Amino acid sequence: MPLDLATIIALGNKLAPAAAIYGRLGVLLEDAGTEQAEIVALIRLDPALTLHVVRLSNSVLFGSRERTDTLDGAVGLVGFREIFRLVGLAASHQVFQRDLVHYQLSATRLWENAVATAAAAEVLAHPSGGDTGLAYSGGLMRTLGRVILDGAAAGRTYPGEIEWPLVDTWERQTFGITAAEVAATLLDHWRFPSDLVEAIRGHLDPFASPSSNFGACVLNLASGVVARFGLDLPGETLHWHCNPAKMTMVGVTEKTMEECAIRAREHYTALCAAVEK
């Protein structure tokens, strides 16, 4: 039987609470009437996230020219838009803290892929006027389902690309559901925006269903960009073929894809440096 909703949510609840807070923050920020005190109160629910946010807010990456030691000061310094990106970076860092034994993936590689994909997705969404914040979040959260499935694996291990070139086909046979679908299910439960949820659900094959969208194509192409500089994950590469239909949907050319790859790598390096500082 497929992994059911109750199990997905139960395993999700065992993760760092910062991920769910990130989703709730997105909902708050959709309301133009949201006040700074509400944002501060939400982030403060997780002391570890609070410390991480304050430290990151002092990074030049987020435009800080002053230093602060308080959460109120951090939100005031970077602003609402940047606090969303900052919380996402901190939340994903907390979520991807353990090796995925059944995928034979280190926590470091999973984290690097998430940050690199977020950077690439943000860069790719910009030329067409897409929501760069949603693209960034999709990049950070797209592999969340692997964390959940690894926790439910009970000894079942992905044997690698030689036996299973596409990891999602192994997931479907083993669990009755793919990691992308698990991530979408959990993020929907945490009230992440529906466009982001559907982008993650469909990003492995953006034209597989009528509901396929711009966000799914951005995330697919971003994952391909990440593969270009060697931070892809096993069992996914065949999904990242850069065809004209995807590029047309996103509004990029092969030339701009190359430019995006360079900018995304620079952005990825800056994001990692900010977290590790």
Side-chain angles (χ1 to χ4, degrees):
M1 290 181 62
L3 201 66
D4 59 31
L5 178 62
T7 301
I8 292 171
I9 292 173
L11 290 170
N13 288 339
K14 293 180 180 180
L15 299 177
I21 289 173
Y22 184 38
R24 292 170 61 187
L25 178 61
V27 174
L28 270 183
L29 293 177
E30 287 180 354
D31 183 354
T34 294
E35 297 184 355
Q36 181 170 318
E38 297 175 84
I39 294 173
V40 170
L42 176 61
I43 298 171
R44 199 168 270 153
L45 292 174
D46 182 353
L49 178 63
T50 298
L51 290 172
H52 210 156
V53 166
V54 171
R55 183 171 61 80
L56 281 174
S57 71
N58 292 311
S59 167
V60 294
L61 177 66
F62 292 95
S64 300
R65 293 186 177 88
E66 305 172 31
R67 293 191 62 82
T68 182
D69 295 321
T70 69
L71 184 57
D72 290 270
V75 176
L77 273 178
V78 304
F80 286 9
R81 178 180 175 81
E82 287 301 299
I83 204 70
F84 182 66
R85 294 175 68 244
L86 190 155
V87 168
L89 188 62
S92 61
H93 190 253
Q94 288 183 226
V95 168
F96 301 126
Q97 281 291 305
R98 67 175 181 82
D99 296 341
L100 302 190
V101 176
H102 301 289
Y103 280 96
Q104 303 181 67
L105 267 177
S106 69
T108 299
R109 185 53 174 266
L110 199 64
W111 158 246
E112 289 175 341
N113 177 269
V115 177
T117 308
E122 186 173 25
V123 169
L124 283 168
H126 186 265
S128 294
D131 190 322
T132 55
L134 283 185
Y136 172 84
S137 299
L140 287 177
M141 294 289 138
R142 80 169 190 92
T143 54
L144 180 66
R146 288 207 189 193
V147 180
I148 301 300
L149 291 181
D150 192 77
R156 295 167 289 187
T157 299
Y158 173 56
E161 289 181 318
I162 294 177
E163 186 172 342
W164 290 92
L166 292 175
V167 68
D168 57 303
T169 59
W170 172 79
E171 291 165 348
R172 176 76 67 190
Q173 177 163 313
T174 304
F175 303 101
I177 192 170
T178 68
E181 292 167 340
V182 170
T185 298
L186 189 55
L187 294 175
D188 184 55
H189 174 71
W190 285 341
R191 300 175 61 193
F192 275 74
S194 58
D195 285 350
L196 183 151
V197 170
E198 293 310 311
I200 290 177
R201 192 188 307 277
H203 80 281
L204 296 179
D205 188 357
F207 298 108
S209 71
S211 63
S212 298
N213 55 36
F214 173 85
C217 276
V218 167
L219 200 48
N220 182 283
L221 289 176
S223 299
V225 166
V226 170
R228 293 186 187 200
F229 49 85
L231 290 174
D232 52 322
L233 301 179
E236 295 187 332
T237 306
L238 294 179
H239 285 301
W240 311 146
H241 178 59
C242 187
N243 64 39
K246 294 176 188 176
M247 290 191 289
T248 299
M249 172 71 81
V250 177
V252 296
T253 64
E254 183 59 42
K255 180 180 179 181
T256 55
M257 284 290 293
E258 292 293 341
E259 294 169 351
C260 284
I262 294 170
R263 291 171 56 204
R265 181 154 197 151
E266 292 171 348
H267 190 30
Y268 155 76
T269 300
L271 287 170
C272 288
V275 171
E276 294 168 0
K277 186 176 178 181

